[in-house]
Amino acid sequence: MIIPYTDIAEATLNNLIEYYVLREGTDYGEQEMAMAEKVAMVQRQLQSGEVVIVYSELHESINLMPKQLFLQQQDTL
């Protein structure tokens, strides 16, 4: 189930994004980006709809993931 990012309190959303950024270890290119830049990038992706917040009832967990990946997973269910 997709949870609209606008339904989450700002501090909670920021913590969720920071956790996601730290956990993902994504390659940001040749130059390392500051945490604030990475968080801002994910915030923009949430606002544009590229990334969604997903709640799994089965695992009772919340995660951020690319919207296309989420849709592909839904097609296989």
Side-chain angles (χ1 to χ4, degrees), residues 26-32:
T26 305
D27 182 12
Y28 291 92
E30 297 225 357
Q31 293 184 338
E32 185 61 29

Side-chain angles (χ1 to χ4, degrees), residues 5 14 17 38-48:
Y5 74 92
N14 192 55
I17 293 171
K38 294 175 187 177
V39 168
M41 180 185 295
V42 174
Q43 287 173 332
R44 286 190 299 274
Q45 291 171 335
L46 280 168
Q47 292 168 348
S48 72

Side-chain angles (χ1 to χ4, degrees), residues 2 4 6 8 11 13 24 27 29 32-33 54 56 58 61 63 71:
I2 293 179
T6 54
I8 300 175
L13 180 61
E24 286 301 304
D27 182 12
E32 185 61 29
M33 294 175 68
V54 179
S56 168
L58 176 65
S61 64
N63 193 20
L71 295 174

